[in-house]
């Protein structure tokens, strides 16, 4: 693999601890909702991973959620190619059509401007789900305004406004397999 200048921001052990905490909290909250509504159907909980960046996060987290669930992926492109600038969010393909009355959890790797998750949440709400939760691994500490001003129910870590890769996050398709979350120090030199 090409060597790239980086600094570890969140080491793998800290990621693992926090992901298990988040998973257990999510399970507890979903269970409370299901019990309150007297629901026992096996398909009430739907996890929507946002591809591609959330795959490692979702794979690790759902193993701490001891509930029946189905998973429906969506693909959103917001950083096409070799860039670290947000280009706005675009849903590729359709949203799963059968979310009415279900408990939906949208999971993404990182909340940056919030455009991606605001768009997805709006589309999910149009289907009248029983609940919608947003769960992100990282949230960048930047000022947010207007539609994108959304507060996720679950946040792994708040991070400064730096470009990070690893643990699912990429630069130009690379570095998703790094086990730690690292700051890419000079992306243009890659
Ligand atoms: P918005 O701005 O819509 O962006 O909240 C969310 C999406 O942008 C990508 N993103 C990043 N990807 N390192 C990455 O590898 C970053 O620091 C970063 N910041 C935003 C990511 O795809 C996320 O889903």
């Amino acid at each position: 693999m090409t060597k790239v200048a980086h600094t570890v921001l969140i080491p793998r052990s800290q990621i693992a601890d926090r992901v298990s905490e988040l998973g257990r909290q999510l399970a507890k909250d979903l269970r409370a909702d299901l019990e309150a509504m007297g629901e026992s159907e096996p398909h009430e909980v739907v996890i929507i991973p946002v591809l591609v960046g959330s795959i490692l996060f979702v794979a690790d987290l759902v193993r701490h959620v001891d509930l029946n669930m189905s998973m429906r992926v969506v693909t959103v492109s917001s950083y096409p190619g070799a860039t670290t600038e947000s280009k706005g969010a675009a849903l590729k393909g359709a949203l799963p059509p059968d979310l009415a009355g279900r408990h939906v959890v949208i999971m993404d790797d990182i909340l940056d401007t919030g455009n991606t998750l605001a768009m997805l949440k709006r589309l999910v709400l149009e289907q009248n789900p029983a609940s919608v939760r947003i769960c992100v691994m990282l949230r960048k500490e930047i000022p947010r305004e207007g539609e994108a001003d959304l507060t996720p129910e679950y946040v792994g870590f708040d991070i400064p406004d730096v470009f990070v890769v690893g643990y699912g996050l990429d630069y130009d398709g690379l570095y998703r397999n790094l086990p730690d979350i690292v700051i890419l120090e000079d992306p243009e030199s890659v």
Side-chain angles (χ1 to χ4, degrees):
M1 188 159 68
T2 313
K3 285 257 180 282
V4 58
H6 70 261
T7 309
V8 173
L9 182 66
I10 310 172
R12 64 200 79 180
S13 58
Q14 221 177 316
I15 296 172
D17 289 350
R18 185 69 184 125
V19 168
S20 102
E21 226 171 61
L22 282 181
R24 283 183 278 115
Q25 184 64 51
L26 177 63
K28 191 173 161 213
D29 297 348
L30 284 167
R31 194 170 287 113
D33 270 15
L34 292 167
E35 281 170 10
M37 296 174 78
E39 286 163 344
S40 56
E41 286 296 309
H43 296 292
E44 292 303 335
V45 174
V46 182
I47 307 285
I48 302 189
V50 183
L51 296 181
V52 175
S54 73
I55 56 173
L56 275 71
F57 176 43
V58 173
D60 287 343
L61 186 137
V62 293
R63 283 179 273 185
H64 298 281
V65 181
D66 182 20
L67 287 172
N68 287 321
M69 64 172 67
S70 53
M71 293 169 81
R72 314 289 177 77
V73 297
V74 294
T75 304
V76 173
S77 94
S78 52
Y79 278 112
T83 175
T84 58
E85 298 298 315
S86 182
K87 291 279 198 296
L91 179 64
K92 291 189 186 167
L95 202 68
D98 52 356
L99 304 175
R102 298 200 160 132
H103 297 280
V104 176
V105 184
I106 306 172
M107 290 188 60
D108 204 358
D109 50 3
I110 186 166
L111 188 145
D112 186 344
T113 62
N115 288 330
T116 304
L117 289 163
M119 171 196 66
L120 285 173
K121 185 174 180 180
R122 185 167 34 81
L123 293 173
V124 167
L125 281 171
E126 284 173 4
Q127 292 190 36
N128 293 318
S131 66
V132 187
R133 291 175 166 85
I134 306 274
C135 177
V136 294
M137 182 66 202
L138 305 174
R139 173 171 57 187
K140 281 191 185 173
E141 288 168 338
I142 56 166
R144 293 187 184 83
E145 292 169 3
E147 184 196 34
D149 182 17
L150 94 166
T151 307
E153 282 70 21
Y154 307 93
V155 176
F157 300 94
D158 280 305
I159 64 165
D161 188 11
V162 290
F163 196 81
V164 287
V165 296
Y167 197 63
L169 290 146
D170 75 307
Y171 175 73
D172 199 15
L174 296 176
Y175 314 119
R176 294 193 197 278
N177 55 320
L178 297 178
D180 305 305
I181 293 171
V182 307
I183 299 173
L184 198 58
E185 283 174 357
D186 185 9
E188 309 315 327
S189 73
V190 179

